[in-house]
Amino acid sequence: MPRPLSHALFAALLSAATVLPGALSTAQAAPDKRNAPSRGIPYATREDAMQFADEIAARRNLDREWTRATIGNAKLLPNVPRLMLPAPTGTPKNWYVYRSRFIDPVRIQAGTRFWRNNAATLTRAEAEFGVPAEIIVGIIGVETIYGRNMGSFRVIDALATLAFDFPEAHPRASERQAFFRGELESFLSTESRTHENPLLPLGSYAGAMGMPQFMPSSIAKYAVDYDGDGRIDLVNNPIDVIGSVANYFKAFGWQPGMPPIFPVSFDQSRLQKAVLLGPDIVPTFSADAFVAGGAVLDGDAQRFKGLLALIELQNGGETPSYVAGTQNFYVITRYNWSSYYAMSVIELGREVRAAMEN
């Protein structure tokens, strides 16, 4: 194995990369052509970015020149801030349309392949972490089609853009910008320890990486070396990916054996829908309180000892769909704060399991 470069030498090479971008591997560094970093503005010219680099270096005990050179080589991606803006107010949600983006023959076929190829690891993870294989398979399928689409943006560019140029028009701009500054700091801290080129990792326009699309702080907190080879690889190693996703869910409170959802219908004569929807996706009601509010549950759900939430999935102008969500449904939304996302994960996992059984 080649000896890692010192931070001082590596910082010098990073500085050269600003002038000589061709020194990077074209295959690894080429981002989405619509957001080519070479067309962006390097953050080395920004006083606020360089000041933040100094703060990170001091706070994390990183080499100052390496930190400044790394952030200085990041480039503004002009289209990314726009992608972070929420949909215009009044835009109708549609579960049927949302579902169709993720529950399709391509993902189901890829999911069955992934499951068969990694059956032993999925079984091991389910036994050790309590997270069903179909949930792990559902997550990886929804996120990247099992590694087929892991993102083509340089992570350093995406994180720097959102750390320093988050759109002010966003309703939570200050909070979100602070989040991405934290993610940039976490990314640099991890990359500093690996002695690898921090300009090479690719990911989503928000800086999420690998098959499971972990943000840098999630990699630092929840990613695991599940095959014991001495390194964590969420890009090429499905064993590490499976263990890391399962560990993430366990850390957020996944309860082994608990279904994430139950079917629900309504007794219109005593329905208090506004009351049941009040806590949103947070499990709040006992089964008895749920029924008292006009919900109708089947036998298994009526005997459920945990708390429930009424989950509403709008269908454009059509009648919404509803399910009763448990603590485990809420845990899935900690991966992506959307009930539509959580339902897609659940349903894709179920479809892949059904395909496996046929």
Side-chain angles (χ1 to χ4, degrees):
M1 175 180 290
R3 185 177 179 180
L5 295 174
S6 70
H7 274 165
L9 177 56
F10 198 51
L13 293 175
L14 284 178
S15 296
T18 303
V19 182
L20 302 171
L24 299 178
S25 164
T26 303
Q28 291 181 316
D32 188 311
K33 291 181 180 178
R34 294 169 299 175
N35 297 280
S38 60
R39 297 208 314 258
I41 302 170
Y43 280 99
T45 64
R46 289 272 294 270
E47 183 178 347
D48 59 338
M50 292 298 94
Q51 179 179 342
F52 186 65
D54 290 343
E55 293 170 2
I56 292 176
R59 189 160 48 239
R60 296 276 186 158
N61 195 28
L62 303 181
D63 181 275
R64 179 174 179 269
E65 293 308 313
W66 178 88
T67 306
R68 289 174 66 90
T70 302
I71 291 181
N73 271 277
K75 297 184 177 73
L76 172 68
L77 302 180
N79 292 340
V80 164
R82 176 181 55 81
L83 296 173
M84 300 304 294
L85 293 173
T89 303
T91 303
K93 296 180 179 179
N94 193 316
W95 162 234
Y96 295 138
V97 172
Y98 188 98
R99 184 187 188 280
S100 69
R101 297 174 187 165
F102 301 104
I103 319 300
D104 59 21
V106 171
R107 276 185 169 83
I108 293 170
Q109 185 179 40
T112 58
R113 252 191 329 269
F114 182 87
W115 196 325
R116 290 193 178 102
N117 291 340
N118 299 282
T121 303
L122 287 163
T123 299
R124 174 188 161 206
E126 184 166 349
E128 293 182 5
F129 297 100
V131 183
E134 66 187 64
I135 296 297
I136 299 172
V137 169
I139 284 284
I140 302 168
V142 167
E143 288 292 340
T144 62
I145 320 180
Y146 310 97
R148 187 175 301 183
N149 182 16
M150 293 185 283
S152 57
F153 295 81
R154 284 201 321 179
V155 171
I156 189 64
D157 296 329
L159 293 177
T161 296
L162 295 171
F164 305 120
D165 289 284
F166 196 87
E168 295 181 0
H170 193 284
R172 294 187 295 133
S174 296
E175 177 186 344
R176 298 303 292 162
Q177 184 170 36
F179 168 79
F180 283 106
R181 288 195 172 203
E183 293 300 322
L184 176 58
E185 180 169 340
S186 182
F187 175 73
L188 291 173
S189 179
T190 298
E191 292 298 305
S192 174
R193 292 193 301 272
T194 66
H195 292 277
E196 295 178 357
N197 190 334
L199 304 184
L200 294 183
L202 302 180
S204 74
Y205 65 82
M209 292 173 277
M211 288 189 218
Q213 292 290 275
F214 272 20
M215 293 298 290
S217 63
S218 291
I219 293 175
K221 294 175 185 175
Y222 310 115
V224 295
D225 173 18
Y226 206 46
D227 66 353
D229 68 352
R231 64 188 299 265
I232 297 172
D233 181 359
L234 300 184
V235 175
N236 302 301
N237 189 338
I239 298 175
D240 287 354
V241 170
I242 290 166
S244 297
V245 171
N247 186 50
Y248 183 97
F249 279 120
K250 181 179 180 180
F252 277 87
W254 184 272
Q255 301 298 310
M258 177 185 288
I261 56 172
F262 292 109
V264 64
S265 56
F266 300 119
D267 179 348
Q268 296 293 338
S269 66
R270 52 193 175 88
L271 179 60
Q272 302 176 54
K273 188 182 291 185
V275 173
L276 295 177
L277 288 173
D280 196 20
I281 60 177
V282 180
T284 304
F285 303 99
S286 67
D288 288 345
F290 211 55
V291 171
V296 177
L297 301 171
D298 64 18
D300 290 339
Q302 287 178 357
R303 294 186 290 273
F304 182 64
K305 300 302 182 184
L307 299 177
L308 298 169
L310 180 62
I311 308 301
E312 180 181 74
L313 302 164
Q314 298 175 20
N315 292 310
E318 304 298 321
T319 302
S321 302
Y322 296 92
V323 295
T326 70
Q327 169 66 19
N328 282 351
F329 183 89
Y330 184 75
V331 170
I332 298 173
T333 65
R334 301 309 86 193
Y335 208 101
N336 182 311
W337 293 5
S338 163
S339 55
Y340 297 79
Y341 173 90
M343 282 299 299
S344 294
V345 167
I346 292 166
E347 296 210 359
L348 177 60
R350 288 178 173 178
E351 292 287 343
V352 174
R353 178 182 285 280
M356 290 277 293
E357 294 171 352
N358 291 336

